[in-house]
Amino acid sequence: MTANGPVFLSTVALGALWALVSASWYVLLTWAVSRGRALVSQPTVLRGLSVTTGVVLLGLGAAVVAGV
């Protein structure tokens, strides 16, 4: 964008580019969430997440009791 050029058209073009970039990120995020959901829905992964969460919570509880 320059002071001599078409400011309005340059602004519209930059806005369209921004919209395209934003839409691309949202599509990528939606795809990643969908893939992640399929992965986390597997029984073995769910069990592993439950065990990991339990261990972390026990560790945090022990840290609170110990005054760390």
Short mmCIF file of all heavy atoms in Angstrom, two decimals:
data_model
loop_
_atom_site.label_atom_id
_atom_site.label_comp_id
_atom_site.label_asym_id
_atom_site.label_seq_id
_atom_site.Cartn_x
_atom_site.Cartn_y
_atom_site.Cartn_z
N MET A 1 0.85 -1.15 0.00
CA MET A 1 0.00 0.00 0.00
C MET A 1 0.90 1.22 0.00
O MET A 1 1.80 1.35 0.82
CB MET A 1 -0.88 -0.01 1.25
CG MET A 1 -1.99 0.94 1.15
SD MET A 1 -3.19 0.92 2.51
CE MET A 1 -3.33 -0.74 2.98
N THR A 2 0.65 2.11 -0.95
CA THR A 2 1.43 3.33 -1.04
C THR A 2 0.49 4.53 -1.00
O THR A 2 -0.72 4.40 -1.19
CB THR A 2 2.24 3.38 -2.35
OG1 THR A 2 1.34 3.42 -3.45
CG2 THR A 2 3.15 2.17 -2.47
N ALA A 3 1.06 5.70 -0.78
CA ALA A 3 0.24 6.91 -0.75
C ALA A 3 -0.26 7.27 -2.14
O ALA A 3 -1.29 7.92 -2.29
CB ALA A 3 1.06 8.06 -0.17
N ASN A 4 0.44 6.85 -3.18
CA ASN A 4 0.06 7.20 -4.55
C ASN A 4 -0.90 6.19 -5.17
O ASN A 4 -1.60 6.50 -6.12
CB ASN A 4 1.30 7.28 -5.44
CG ASN A 4 2.33 8.25 -4.90
OD1 ASN A 4 2.18 8.78 -3.82
ND2 ASN A 4 3.38 8.46 -5.66
N GLY A 5 -0.93 4.98 -4.65
CA GLY A 5 -1.71 3.90 -5.26
C GLY A 5 -3.15 3.92 -4.81
O GLY A 5 -3.59 4.77 -4.03
N PRO A 6 -3.91 2.96 -5.31
CA PRO A 6 -5.31 2.85 -4.93
C PRO A 6 -5.46 2.29 -3.50
O PRO A 6 -5.39 1.08 -3.29
CB PRO A 6 -5.89 1.89 -5.97
CG PRO A 6 -4.71 1.07 -6.39
CD PRO A 6 -3.51 1.96 -6.28
N VAL A 7 -5.64 3.18 -2.56
CA VAL A 7 -5.68 2.79 -1.16
C VAL A 7 -6.87 1.87 -0.88
O VAL A 7 -6.73 0.86 -0.19
CB VAL A 7 -5.73 4.05 -0.26
CG1 VAL A 7 -5.89 3.66 1.20
CG2 VAL A 7 -4.48 4.89 -0.45
N PHE A 8 -8.03 2.20 -1.41
CA PHE A 8 -9.21 1.38 -1.16
C PHE A 8 -9.03 -0.04 -1.68
O PHE A 8 -9.30 -1.01 -0.98
CB PHE A 8 -10.46 2.02 -1.79
CG PHE A 8 -11.70 1.21 -1.58
CD1 PHE A 8 -12.31 1.13 -0.34
CD2 PHE A 8 -12.25 0.48 -2.63
CE1 PHE A 8 -13.44 0.37 -0.14
CE2 PHE A 8 -13.38 -0.29 -2.44
CZ PHE A 8 -13.98 -0.35 -1.19
N LEU A 9 -8.55 -0.17 -2.91
CA LEU A 9 -8.36 -1.51 -3.48
C LEU A 9 -7.28 -2.30 -2.74
O LEU A 9 -7.41 -3.51 -2.53
CB LEU A 9 -8.02 -1.41 -4.97
CG LEU A 9 -9.16 -0.93 -5.87
CD1 LEU A 9 -8.69 -0.81 -7.31
CD2 LEU A 9 -10.34 -1.87 -5.77
N SER A 10 -6.24 -1.60 -2.32
CA SER A 10 -5.19 -2.27 -1.56
C SER A 10 -5.73 -2.76 -0.22
O SER A 10 -5.43 -3.88 0.23
CB SER A 10 -4.02 -1.33 -1.30
OG SER A 10 -3.42 -0.95 -2.51
N THR A 11 -6.56 -1.95 0.42
CA THR A 11 -7.16 -2.33 1.69
C THR A 11 -8.08 -3.53 1.51
O THR A 11 -8.07 -4.46 2.32
CB THR A 11 -7.92 -1.15 2.30
OG1 THR A 11 -7.04 -0.03 2.41
CG2 THR A 11 -8.48 -1.49 3.66
N VAL A 12 -8.88 -3.53 0.48
CA VAL A 12 -9.78 -4.65 0.21
C VAL A 12 -8.97 -5.92 -0.08
O VAL A 12 -9.31 -7.01 0.41
CB VAL A 12 -10.73 -4.32 -0.97
CG1 VAL A 12 -11.47 -5.55 -1.44
CG2 VAL A 12 -11.70 -3.23 -0.56
N ALA A 13 -7.90 -5.78 -0.85
CA ALA A 13 -7.06 -6.94 -1.16
C ALA A 13 -6.42 -7.50 0.11
O ALA A 13 -6.38 -8.73 0.31
CB ALA A 13 -5.99 -6.57 -2.18
N LEU A 14 -5.91 -6.63 0.98
CA LEU A 14 -5.31 -7.11 2.22
C LEU A 14 -6.36 -7.74 3.13
O LEU A 14 -6.08 -8.73 3.81
CB LEU A 14 -4.61 -5.95 2.94
CG LEU A 14 -3.30 -5.48 2.30
CD1 LEU A 14 -2.79 -4.24 3.01
CD2 LEU A 14 -2.26 -6.58 2.32
N GLY A 15 -7.56 -7.20 3.15
CA GLY A 15 -8.65 -7.79 3.93
C GLY A 15 -9.01 -9.18 3.40
O GLY A 15 -9.25 -10.10 4.19
N ALA A 16 -9.06 -9.32 2.09
CA ALA A 16 -9.36 -10.62 1.49
C ALA A 16 -8.25 -11.63 1.81
O ALA A 16 -8.52 -12.80 2.11
CB ALA A 16 -9.53 -10.48 -0.01
N LEU A 17 -7.01 -11.17 1.76
CA LEU A 17 -5.88 -12.05 2.10
C LEU A 17 -5.97 -12.48 3.56
O LEU A 17 -5.76 -13.65 3.88
CB LEU A 17 -4.56 -11.34 1.83
CG LEU A 17 -3.30 -12.12 2.16
CD1 LEU A 17 -3.20 -13.37 1.30
CD2 LEU A 17 -2.08 -11.24 1.99
N TRP A 18 -6.29 -11.55 4.44
CA TRP A 18 -6.44 -11.87 5.87
C TRP A 18 -7.56 -12.89 6.08
O TRP A 18 -7.41 -13.82 6.86
CB TRP A 18 -6.72 -10.59 6.65
CG TRP A 18 -6.86 -10.83 8.12
CD1 TRP A 18 -8.01 -10.98 8.82
CD2 TRP A 18 -5.80 -11.00 9.05
NE1 TRP A 18 -7.74 -11.22 10.13
CE2 TRP A 18 -6.39 -11.24 10.30
CE3 TRP A 18 -4.42 -10.98 8.94
CZ2 TRP A 18 -5.63 -11.45 11.45
CZ3 TRP A 18 -3.67 -11.19 10.08
CH2 TRP A 18 -4.27 -11.41 11.31
N ALA A 19 -8.68 -12.71 5.38
CA ALA A 19 -9.80 -13.65 5.49
C ALA A 19 -9.39 -15.03 4.99
O ALA A 19 -9.76 -16.05 5.60
CB ALA A 19 -11.00 -13.13 4.71
N LEU A 20 -8.63 -15.10 3.92
CA LEU A 20 -8.17 -16.38 3.39
C LEU A 20 -7.23 -17.08 4.37
O LEU A 20 -7.36 -18.29 4.61
CB LEU A 20 -7.47 -16.17 2.04
CG LEU A 20 -6.92 -17.41 1.36
CD1 LEU A 20 -8.06 -18.34 0.96
CD2 LEU A 20 -6.11 -17.02 0.14
N VAL A 21 -6.31 -16.34 4.95
CA VAL A 21 -5.38 -16.92 5.92
C VAL A 21 -6.15 -17.42 7.15
O VAL A 21 -5.91 -18.53 7.65
CB VAL A 21 -4.29 -15.90 6.31
CG1 VAL A 21 -3.49 -16.38 7.51
CG2 VAL A 21 -3.37 -15.63 5.13
N SER A 22 -7.09 -16.62 7.65
CA SER A 22 -7.88 -17.02 8.82
C SER A 22 -8.70 -18.27 8.51
O SER A 22 -8.76 -19.19 9.34
CB SER A 22 -8.81 -15.89 9.24
OG SER A 22 -8.06 -14.78 9.70
N ALA A 23 -9.34 -18.31 7.37
CA ALA A 23 -10.14 -19.47 6.99
C ALA A 23 -9.26 -20.72 6.88
O ALA A 23 -9.65 -21.81 7.32
CB ALA A 23 -10.87 -19.22 5.68
N SER A 24 -8.05 -20.56 6.36
CA SER A 24 -7.13 -21.69 6.24
C SER A 24 -6.76 -22.23 7.62
O SER A 24 -6.72 -23.45 7.84
CB SER A 24 -5.87 -21.29 5.49
OG SER A 24 -6.19 -20.87 4.19
N TRP A 25 -6.48 -21.34 8.57
CA TRP A 25 -6.14 -21.77 9.92
C TRP A 25 -7.32 -22.49 10.57
O TRP A 25 -7.13 -23.50 11.25
CB TRP A 25 -5.71 -20.59 10.79
CG TRP A 25 -4.28 -20.23 10.61
CD1 TRP A 25 -3.77 -19.12 10.02
CD2 TRP A 25 -3.15 -21.01 11.02
NE1 TRP A 25 -2.42 -19.16 10.03
CE2 TRP A 25 -2.00 -20.30 10.64
CE3 TRP A 25 -3.01 -22.23 11.65
CZ2 TRP A 25 -0.72 -20.79 10.88
CZ3 TRP A 25 -1.72 -22.71 11.89
CH2 TRP A 25 -0.60 -21.99 11.51
N TYR A 26 -8.53 -21.98 10.38
CA TYR A 26 -9.70 -22.63 10.98
C TYR A 26 -9.95 -24.01 10.37
O TYR A 26 -10.33 -24.94 11.08
CB TYR A 26 -10.94 -21.75 10.85
CG TYR A 26 -10.95 -20.63 11.85
CD1 TYR A 26 -11.09 -19.32 11.44
CD2 TYR A 26 -10.81 -20.87 13.21
CE1 TYR A 26 -11.09 -18.28 12.35
CE2 TYR A 26 -10.80 -19.84 14.13
CZ TYR A 26 -10.94 -18.55 13.70
OH TYR A 26 -10.94 -17.53 14.60
N VAL A 27 -9.74 -24.14 9.08
CA VAL A 27 -9.89 -25.46 8.44
C VAL A 27 -8.85 -26.43 8.99
O VAL A 27 -9.16 -27.58 9.31
CB VAL A 27 -9.78 -25.33 6.90
CG1 VAL A 27 -9.59 -26.69 6.25
CG2 VAL A 27 -11.00 -24.63 6.35
N LEU A 28 -7.61 -25.97 9.14
CA LEU A 28 -6.56 -26.81 9.69
C LEU A 28 -6.87 -27.19 11.14
O LEU A 28 -6.71 -28.36 11.53
CB LEU A 28 -5.22 -26.07 9.63
CG LEU A 28 -4.01 -26.81 10.18
CD1 LEU A 28 -3.70 -28.04 9.33
CD2 LEU A 28 -2.81 -25.88 10.22
N LEU A 29 -7.35 -26.26 11.93
CA LEU A 29 -7.70 -26.54 13.32
C LEU A 29 -8.85 -27.55 13.40
O LEU A 29 -8.81 -28.49 14.19
CB LEU A 29 -8.09 -25.25 14.03
CG LEU A 29 -8.55 -25.40 15.48
CD1 LEU A 29 -7.41 -25.89 16.35
CD2 LEU A 29 -9.10 -24.09 15.99
N THR A 30 -9.86 -27.37 12.56
CA THR A 30 -11.00 -28.29 12.54
C THR A 30 -10.55 -29.69 12.15
O THR A 30 -10.97 -30.69 12.77
CB THR A 30 -12.06 -27.79 11.55
OG1 THR A 30 -12.44 -26.46 11.92
CG2 THR A 30 -13.27 -28.67 11.54
N TRP A 31 -9.68 -29.80 11.18
CA TRP A 31 -9.16 -31.10 10.76
C TRP A 31 -8.38 -31.75 11.90
O TRP A 31 -8.55 -32.94 12.18
CB TRP A 31 -8.28 -30.94 9.53
CG TRP A 31 -7.62 -32.20 9.11
CD1 TRP A 31 -8.15 -33.23 8.40
CD2 TRP A 31 -6.27 -32.60 9.41
NE1 TRP A 31 -7.23 -34.23 8.23
CE2 TRP A 31 -6.06 -33.87 8.84
CE3 TRP A 31 -5.23 -31.99 10.09
CZ2 TRP A 31 -4.86 -34.54 8.95
CZ3 TRP A 31 -4.03 -32.67 10.20
CH2 TRP A 31 -3.85 -33.93 9.63
N ALA A 32 -7.52 -30.97 12.58
CA ALA A 32 -6.71 -31.52 13.66
C ALA A 32 -7.59 -31.98 14.82
O ALA A 32 -7.33 -33.04 15.42
CB ALA A 32 -5.70 -30.47 14.14
N VAL A 33 -8.61 -31.22 15.15
CA VAL A 33 -9.51 -31.61 16.24
C VAL A 33 -10.26 -32.89 15.88
O VAL A 33 -10.43 -33.78 16.71
CB VAL A 33 -10.49 -30.46 16.58
CG1 VAL A 33 -11.63 -30.94 17.46
CG2 VAL A 33 -9.74 -29.33 17.25
N SER A 34 -10.69 -33.00 14.64
CA SER A 34 -11.39 -34.21 14.22
C SER A 34 -10.47 -35.43 14.28
O SER A 34 -10.87 -36.50 14.73
CB SER A 34 -11.96 -33.99 12.82
OG SER A 34 -11.60 -34.96 11.93
N ARG A 35 -9.22 -35.28 13.87
CA ARG A 35 -8.27 -36.39 13.95
C ARG A 35 -7.97 -36.72 15.41
O ARG A 35 -7.86 -37.89 15.77
CB ARG A 35 -6.96 -36.03 13.23
CG ARG A 35 -7.10 -35.82 11.74
CD ARG A 35 -7.24 -37.09 11.01
NE ARG A 35 -6.01 -37.86 11.15
CZ ARG A 35 -5.84 -39.07 10.71
NH1 ARG A 35 -6.81 -39.66 10.07
NH2 ARG A 35 -4.71 -39.70 10.88
N GLY A 36 -7.83 -35.70 16.24
CA GLY A 36 -7.56 -35.93 17.65
C GLY A 36 -8.72 -36.63 18.34
O GLY A 36 -8.52 -37.49 19.20
N ARG A 37 -9.93 -36.27 17.97
CA ARG A 37 -11.10 -36.92 18.56
C ARG A 37 -11.14 -38.40 18.20
O ARG A 37 -11.46 -39.25 19.03
CB ARG A 37 -12.37 -36.23 18.09
CG ARG A 37 -13.61 -36.80 18.71
CD ARG A 37 -14.83 -36.06 18.27
NE ARG A 37 -16.01 -36.67 18.88
CZ ARG A 37 -17.22 -36.36 18.59
NH1 ARG A 37 -17.47 -35.41 17.71
NH2 ARG A 37 -18.23 -36.95 19.17
N ALA A 38 -10.83 -38.70 16.96
CA ALA A 38 -10.81 -40.10 16.53
C ALA A 38 -9.74 -40.88 17.30
O ALA A 38 -9.96 -42.03 17.69
CB ALA A 38 -10.54 -40.19 15.03
N LEU A 39 -8.61 -40.25 17.57
CA LEU A 39 -7.53 -40.91 18.32
C LEU A 39 -7.92 -41.11 19.77
O LEU A 39 -7.74 -42.19 20.34
CB LEU A 39 -6.25 -40.07 18.23
CG LEU A 39 -5.08 -40.57 19.06
CD1 LEU A 39 -4.54 -41.86 18.46
CD2 LEU A 39 -4.00 -39.52 19.11
N VAL A 40 -8.48 -40.08 20.40
CA VAL A 40 -8.80 -40.14 21.82
C VAL A 40 -10.00 -41.05 22.09
O VAL A 40 -10.18 -41.53 23.19
CB VAL A 40 -9.03 -38.71 22.36
CG1 VAL A 40 -9.55 -38.70 23.77
CG2 VAL A 40 -7.75 -37.92 22.29
N SER A 41 -10.81 -41.32 21.09
CA SER A 41 -11.98 -42.16 21.27
C SER A 41 -11.65 -43.65 21.36
O SER A 41 -12.51 -44.45 21.71
CB SER A 41 -12.97 -41.94 20.12
OG SER A 41 -13.44 -40.62 20.14
N GLN A 42 -10.43 -44.02 21.07
CA GLN A 42 -10.05 -45.43 21.14
C GLN A 42 -9.96 -45.86 22.61
O GLN A 42 -9.45 -45.11 23.46
CB GLN A 42 -8.70 -45.65 20.46
CG GLN A 42 -8.72 -45.36 18.98
CD GLN A 42 -7.35 -45.47 18.36
OE1 GLN A 42 -6.37 -45.76 19.03
NE2 GLN A 42 -7.28 -45.24 17.06
N PRO A 43 -10.46 -47.05 22.94
CA PRO A 43 -10.49 -47.50 24.34
C PRO A 43 -9.12 -47.54 25.02
O PRO A 43 -8.99 -47.16 26.18
CB PRO A 43 -11.09 -48.89 24.27
CG PRO A 43 -11.82 -48.93 22.98
CD PRO A 43 -11.11 -48.00 22.05
N THR A 44 -8.10 -47.95 24.30
CA THR A 44 -6.77 -48.03 24.93
C THR A 44 -6.24 -46.63 25.26
O THR A 44 -5.62 -46.44 26.30
CB THR A 44 -5.78 -48.76 24.01
OG1 THR A 44 -5.76 -48.13 22.74
CG2 THR A 44 -6.15 -50.21 23.84
N VAL A 45 -6.50 -45.68 24.38
CA VAL A 45 -6.05 -44.31 24.63
C VAL A 45 -6.83 -43.71 25.79
O VAL A 45 -6.26 -43.03 26.65
CB VAL A 45 -6.17 -43.45 23.35
CG1 VAL A 45 -5.82 -42.00 23.63
CG2 VAL A 45 -5.30 -44.01 22.24
N LEU A 46 -8.13 -43.96 25.83
CA LEU A 46 -8.95 -43.46 26.94
C LEU A 46 -8.45 -44.01 28.28
O LEU A 46 -8.37 -43.28 29.27
CB LEU A 46 -10.41 -43.85 26.73
CG LEU A 46 -11.22 -42.99 25.77
CD1 LEU A 46 -12.60 -43.58 25.55
CD2 LEU A 46 -11.34 -41.58 26.30
N ARG A 47 -8.12 -45.28 28.31
CA ARG A 47 -7.62 -45.90 29.53
C ARG A 47 -6.29 -45.27 29.93
O ARG A 47 -6.07 -44.95 31.11
CB ARG A 47 -7.46 -47.41 29.34
CG ARG A 47 -7.22 -48.16 30.62
CD ARG A 47 -7.21 -49.68 30.43
NE ARG A 47 -8.30 -50.18 29.59
CZ ARG A 47 -8.13 -50.71 28.36
NH1 ARG A 47 -6.93 -50.82 27.86
NH2 ARG A 47 -9.16 -51.13 27.66
N GLY A 48 -5.41 -45.08 28.97
CA GLY A 48 -4.12 -44.45 29.26
C GLY A 48 -4.27 -43.03 29.78
O GLY A 48 -3.57 -42.62 30.71
N LEU A 49 -5.20 -42.27 29.18
CA LEU A 49 -5.44 -40.90 29.65
C LEU A 49 -6.00 -40.90 31.07
O LEU A 49 -5.63 -40.04 31.89
CB LEU A 49 -6.39 -40.18 28.71
CG LEU A 49 -5.82 -39.72 27.37
CD1 LEU A 49 -6.92 -39.17 26.48
CD2 LEU A 49 -4.75 -38.67 27.59
N SER A 50 -6.87 -41.85 31.37
CA SER A 50 -7.43 -41.94 32.72
C SER A 50 -6.35 -42.26 33.74
O SER A 50 -6.30 -41.66 34.82
CB SER A 50 -8.53 -42.99 32.76
OG SER A 50 -9.61 -42.60 31.97
N VAL A 51 -5.49 -43.21 33.42
CA VAL A 51 -4.41 -43.57 34.34
C VAL A 51 -3.46 -42.40 34.52
O VAL A 51 -3.07 -42.07 35.66
CB VAL A 51 -3.66 -44.82 33.81
CG1 VAL A 51 -2.37 -45.06 34.58
CG2 VAL A 51 -4.56 -46.04 33.88
N THR A 52 -3.10 -41.74 33.45
CA THR A 52 -2.19 -40.60 33.53
C THR A 52 -2.80 -39.48 34.36
O THR A 52 -2.13 -38.88 35.21
CB THR A 52 -1.85 -40.09 32.12
OG1 THR A 52 -1.27 -41.16 31.37
CG2 THR A 52 -0.88 -38.93 32.17
N THR A 53 -4.07 -39.19 34.13
CA THR A 53 -4.74 -38.15 34.90
C THR A 53 -4.78 -38.51 36.38
O THR A 53 -4.54 -37.65 37.25
CB THR A 53 -6.17 -37.94 34.37
OG1 THR A 53 -6.12 -37.62 32.99
CG2 THR A 53 -6.88 -36.84 35.11
N GLY A 54 -5.06 -39.76 36.70
CA GLY A 54 -5.08 -40.20 38.09
C GLY A 54 -3.73 -40.05 38.76
O GLY A 54 -3.64 -39.57 39.90
N VAL A 55 -2.67 -40.43 38.06
CA VAL A 55 -1.32 -40.31 38.63
C VAL A 55 -0.97 -38.85 38.86
O VAL A 55 -0.41 -38.48 39.90
CB VAL A 55 -0.29 -41.00 37.70
CG1 VAL A 55 1.13 -40.66 38.11
CG2 VAL A 55 -0.51 -42.50 37.69
N VAL A 56 -1.30 -37.99 37.92
CA VAL A 56 -1.01 -36.56 38.07
C VAL A 56 -1.78 -35.98 39.25
O VAL A 56 -1.23 -35.23 40.07
CB VAL A 56 -1.34 -35.80 36.76
CG1 VAL A 56 -1.35 -34.29 36.98
CG2 VAL A 56 -0.35 -36.17 35.67
N LEU A 57 -3.05 -36.34 39.39
CA LEU A 57 -3.84 -35.83 40.51
C LEU A 57 -3.32 -36.34 41.85
O LEU A 57 -3.29 -35.59 42.84
CB LEU A 57 -5.32 -36.20 40.32
CG LEU A 57 -6.04 -35.41 39.22
CD1 LEU A 57 -7.46 -35.95 39.06
CD2 LEU A 57 -6.07 -33.94 39.53
N LEU A 58 -2.91 -37.61 41.90
CA LEU A 58 -2.30 -38.13 43.13
C LEU A 58 -1.01 -37.39 43.46
O LEU A 58 -0.74 -37.07 44.63
CB LEU A 58 -2.05 -39.63 43.01
CG LEU A 58 -3.28 -40.52 43.09
CD1 LEU A 58 -2.91 -41.97 42.76
CD2 LEU A 58 -3.92 -40.43 44.46
N GLY A 59 -0.21 -37.13 42.46
CA GLY A 59 1.02 -36.38 42.66
C GLY A 59 0.76 -34.96 43.16
O GLY A 59 1.45 -34.47 44.06
N LEU A 60 -0.23 -34.30 42.57
CA LEU A 60 -0.58 -32.95 43.03
C LEU A 60 -1.10 -32.97 44.47
O LEU A 60 -0.76 -32.09 45.27
CB LEU A 60 -1.62 -32.32 42.11
CG LEU A 60 -1.13 -31.90 40.73
CD1 LEU A 60 -2.29 -31.47 39.86
CD2 LEU A 60 -0.11 -30.78 40.84
N GLY A 61 -1.90 -33.97 44.79
CA GLY A 61 -2.39 -34.11 46.16
C GLY A 61 -1.25 -34.34 47.13
O GLY A 61 -1.22 -33.75 48.23
N ALA A 62 -0.31 -35.18 46.77
CA ALA A 62 0.84 -35.44 47.63
C ALA A 62 1.68 -34.17 47.81
O ALA A 62 2.19 -33.89 48.90
CB ALA A 62 1.70 -36.56 47.04
N ALA A 63 1.80 -33.38 46.75
CA ALA A 63 2.56 -32.13 46.84
C ALA A 63 1.87 -31.14 47.77
O ALA A 63 2.52 -30.43 48.53
CB ALA A 63 2.74 -31.52 45.45
N VAL A 64 0.55 -31.11 47.73
CA VAL A 64 -0.20 -30.21 48.62
C VAL A 64 -0.02 -30.66 50.06
O VAL A 64 0.20 -29.84 50.96
CB VAL A 64 -1.69 -30.16 48.22
CG1 VAL A 64 -2.53 -29.48 49.29
CG2 VAL A 64 -1.85 -29.43 46.89
N VAL A 65 -0.13 -31.96 50.31
CA VAL A 65 0.02 -32.49 51.67
C VAL A 65 1.44 -32.21 52.18
O VAL A 65 1.64 -31.84 53.34
CB VAL A 65 -0.29 -34.00 51.71
CG1 VAL A 65 0.16 -34.63 53.00
CG2 VAL A 65 -1.78 -34.22 51.47
N ALA A 66 2.42 -32.36 51.32
CA ALA A 66 3.83 -32.14 51.72
C ALA A 66 4.15 -30.67 51.85
O ALA A 66 5.18 -30.30 52.40
CB ALA A 66 4.76 -32.80 50.71
N GLY A 67 3.28 -29.79 51.36
CA GLY A 67 3.53 -28.36 51.46
C GLY A 67 4.53 -27.83 50.44
O GLY A 67 5.18 -26.84 50.65
N VAL A 68 4.66 -28.53 49.34
CA VAL A 68 5.61 -28.13 48.29
C VAL A 68 5.04 -27.03 47.45
O VAL A 68 3.99 -26.84 47.12
CB VAL A 68 6.00 -29.33 47.43
CG1 VAL A 68 6.88 -28.90 46.27
CG2 VAL A 68 6.68 -30.37 48.27
#
